[in-house]
Amino acid sequence: MALTGRALIASRCAKFFKDGDLVNLGIGVPLMCTNYLPEGVELWLEAEIGIVGCGPTPKWEDADPDLIDAGGQPTSVIKGGCVIDQADSFGLIRGGHVDATVLGTLQVDQEGNIANWIVPGKVVPGMGGAMDLCAGVKKIVVATDHCEKSGHSKILKKCTLPLTGAKCVTDIVTERCYFQVTPDGLVLKELAPGYTVEDIRACTDADFTVAEDLGVME
């Protein structure tokens, strides 16, 4: 059965990774990417809280209270992995040693700006490591629903919320399509099954061009 919705987003994002990559995955849909890795691709998952080599989520009865992911949920460490000082973990990120990250977002725009850490006037627990990831990682993939629950596009001409990172996003994957972010703006590279270019134009605030070799997401 063909993938849809958030499973399709995670599956498409997983195709960006190469075997042996050191990758940081955000909470939610980004973490789902590990369920759809191409054959022969194994990753080293880095958690900014201080783990290199995050493993599967354990059962509650088997969880180690000293091992948690960035969202505060139990995690594990694979063979060869390690727990490191949080300062060293951020050193890996800021030093450019993380190959790719997948982040959720509130807004993203055609210039590659991302806003995903705060809505003015609302209480949030903090920005986490997103700002460091946006500054230190070369491949920054945004995994997001195409529109808000209100129906408004989350892919804008210009972000209106406070930015997490400026002109740093390289790719945007939604349940409807995949955009590549280029110096000349967004390029529609792939459509989800059942969608047309006209459908994407109707639900996207941002401007974009269409790739000559437009493909299908899978």
Side-chain angles (χ1 to χ4, degrees):
M1 186 169 61
L3 297 175
T4 59
R6 296 187 172 187
L8 179 60
I9 297 174
S11 174
R12 181 60 188 85
C13 288
K15 291 178 172 59
F16 291 115
F17 305 139
K18 303 184 298 295
D19 187 43
D21 275 353
L22 180 61
V23 173
N24 184 295
L25 299 176
I27 300 167
V29 174
L31 277 174
M32 291 171 58
C33 294
T34 57
N35 298 326
Y36 301 99
L37 294 176
E39 186 175 353
V41 173
E42 295 185 4
L43 304 178
W44 286 93
L45 296 183
E46 189 268 353
E48 62 264 25
I49 202 165
I51 300 175
V52 176
C54 285
T57 302
K59 296 179 181 178
W60 278 103
E61 59 268 25
D62 298 327
D64 183 335
D66 291 325
L67 293 177
I68 58 173
D69 62 23
Q73 298 301 307
T75 190
S76 61
V77 180
I78 63 173
K79 184 177 181 179
C82 62
V83 176
I84 61 177
D85 187 278
Q86 192 170 26
D88 292 330
S89 178
F90 274 86
L92 287 173
I93 295 170
R94 295 171 182 174
H97 303 290
V98 176
D99 296 298
T101 185
V102 182
L103 301 172
T105 200
L106 297 168
Q107 296 177 342
V108 62
D109 69 29
Q110 64 195 43
E111 297 178 3
N113 300 313
I114 177 174
N116 75 346
W117 78 279
I118 192 170
V119 176
K122 293 190 177 182
V123 177
V124 294
M127 66 191 70
M131 288 186 178
D132 296 271
L133 291 164
C134 287
V137 180
K138 302 178 186 69
K139 186 76 168 175
I140 300 174
V141 181
V142 167
T144 181
D145 295 328
H146 203 100
C147 296
E148 300 173 1
K149 291 181 180 179
S150 64
H152 294 149
S153 174
K154 295 176 71 173
I155 306 171
L156 308 175
K157 290 182 174 65
K158 193 78 171 179
C159 290
T160 59
L161 295 174
L163 296 185
T164 308
K167 298 183 179 180
C168 59
V169 175
T170 58
D171 304 274
I172 303 168
V173 179
T174 80
E175 80 285 4
R176 305 182 189 188
C177 67
Y178 157 46
F179 290 111
Q180 184 180 47
V181 185
T182 77
D184 297 320
L186 300 185
V187 178
L188 180 63
K189 298 286 289 185
E190 296 175 6
L191 291 169
Y195 286 91
T196 66
V197 173
E198 289 69 28
D199 292 332
I200 303 304
R201 292 201 187 280
C203 65
T204 306
D205 177 74
D207 298 321
F208 62 87
T209 59
V210 180
E212 293 183 3
D213 57 344
L214 183 63
V216 178
M217 287 174 63
E218 57 183 20

